[in-house]
Amino acid sequence: MAEAFFLFILIVPVSVLTFLAPREMMSFGSRWQYDTEPVYSKEAILYAKIASAFIAVVLTLNLVVSIINAFR
């Protein structure tokens, strides 16, 4: 159950930020490599949004299931 809490606390905020601001989060940590702001395709932005929403939902369900199993 502790693993579920750590995953939820560490990864879900990042996936929510990626869903809300995909361009900024896609270049997070690699801005130093470019002189100008990189241009991402619409498909890449859509993929980042879908993947981040999926990860947030799956990890939230994982946390809920872990909590339910802990109190059984």
Side-chain angles (χ1 to χ4, degrees), residues 16-65:
V16 169
L17 282 174
T18 303
F19 184 78
L20 296 176
R23 288 187 179 132
E24 288 79 13
M25 291 303 289
M26 287 171 68
S27 61
F28 183 73
S30 62
R31 290 178 194 243
W32 61 273
Q33 296 176 345
Y34 305 104
D35 291 333
T36 61
E37 188 70 25
V39 178
Y40 298 107
S41 67
K42 291 180 182 179
E43 291 85 10
I45 293 171
L46 179 65
Y47 175 74
K49 285 184 128 183
I50 291 171
S52 65
F54 179 75
I55 289 169
V57 168
V58 167
L59 289 179
T60 303
L61 288 175
N62 185 13
L63 180 68
V64 170
V65 169

